[in-house]
């Protein structure tokens, strides 16, 4: 499904005629002056799964755009979206530090199961993650949306899961089911999360959280907002 790759200055455009898997043995790293573009003939129906197999962190400091779906899996280390970075995937964006199979179901928008991830791995967003026509899904041991972090799905939903075993459903609510963990998991939002339909933050907690009790596994010091009349927000600490 690969058609071609063209590099002009600091801009690299990779073109596909269908969904694809790319393995990055030197790491999925985008410098501040770099622009990586994924283009699909089918637009939002196309998808690319980027698998970082370098054994190091994935660092995005520049711009990553896609007219379809974009997925980033780094099962070994962490994913950092730096201040000023932009990820703009029209059909949806998924990032995970838990591993999963490279099957067509997940790549084409279906569900899957994610496993693994040591307690030192995480996803840290200091930049902007945007999907105009799709969902944004972040799966890891711990997820931080920092002060400068902006996550926006103006026509879709945002799903964030923290644990060691997480199941992703193709549709329905909740799309994320956190099935297992080691009690070291957390989701922190100090920036802004906006979505049209659903915002779901789900964490595997080491013990049940009682009504009225502070939950250190989910901490919000920023903005969480749905933009439609029937929009819903879920904060779930699932007991071990």
């Amino acid at each position: 499904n690969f058609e071609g790759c063209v590099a002009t200055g600091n801009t690299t455009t990779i073109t596909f005629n269908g969904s694809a898997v790319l393995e990055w043995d030197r790491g999925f790293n985008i410098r501040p002056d770099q622009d990586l573009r994924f283009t699909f003939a089918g637009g939002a129906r196309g998808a690319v799964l980027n698998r970082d197999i370098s054994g190091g962190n994935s660092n995005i400091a520049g711009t990553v755009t896609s007219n379809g779906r974009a997925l980033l899996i780094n099962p070994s280390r962490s994913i950092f979206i730096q201040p000023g970075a932009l990820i703009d995937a029209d059909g949806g964006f998924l990032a995970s530090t838990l591993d999963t199979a490279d099957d067509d179901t997940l790549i084409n928008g279906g569900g899957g199961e994610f496993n693994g991830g040591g307690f030192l791995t995480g996803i840290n967003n200091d930049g902007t993650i945007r999907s105009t026509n799709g969902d944004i899904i972040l799966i890891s041991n711990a997820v931080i949306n920092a002060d400068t972090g902006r996550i926006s799905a103006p026509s879709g939903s945002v799903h964030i899961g923290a644990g060691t075993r997480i199941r992703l459903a193709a549709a329905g609510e909740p799309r994320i089911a956190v099935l297992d963990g080691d009690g070291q998991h957390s989701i922190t939002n100090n920036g802004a999360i906006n979505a049209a339909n659903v915002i779901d933050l789900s964490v595997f907690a080491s013990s049940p959280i009682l009504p009225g009790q502070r939950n250190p596994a989910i901490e919000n010091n920023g903005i969480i907002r749905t933009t439609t009349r029937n929009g819903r927000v879920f904060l779930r600490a699932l007991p071990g």
Side-chain angles (χ1 to χ4, degrees), residues 198-220:
V198 171
I199 297 174
D200 180 8
L201 311 184
S202 294
V203 180
F204 190 92
S206 57
S207 59
I209 305 300
L210 301 176
Q213 184 180 21
R214 182 180 180 271
N215 175 19
I218 299 178
E219 185 172 349
N220 178 48

Side-chain angles (χ1 to χ4, degrees), residues 133-225:
N133 294 300
D135 293 344
I136 295 172
I137 300 167
L138 305 178
I139 295 173
S140 188
N141 171 78
V143 179
I144 298 174
N145 190 43
D147 294 5
T148 57
R150 300 293 181 266
I151 300 173
S152 177
S155 299
S157 299
V158 174
H159 304 273
I160 301 176
T164 58
R165 181 172 168 237
I166 296 175
R167 182 174 297 140
L168 174 66
E173 302 300 341
R175 283 197 68 188
I176 280 182
V178 180
L179 304 177
D180 202 358
D182 57 16
Q184 303 291 325
H185 311 290
S186 62
I187 296 174
T188 303
N189 176 48
N190 294 324
I193 303 174
N194 295 282
N197 301 318
V198 171
I199 297 174
D200 180 8
L201 311 184
S202 294
V203 180
F204 190 92
S206 57
S207 59
I209 305 300
L210 301 176
Q213 184 180 21
R214 182 180 180 271
N215 175 19
I218 299 178
E219 185 172 349
N220 178 48
N221 300 304
I223 296 170
I224 298 176
R225 178 173 55 200

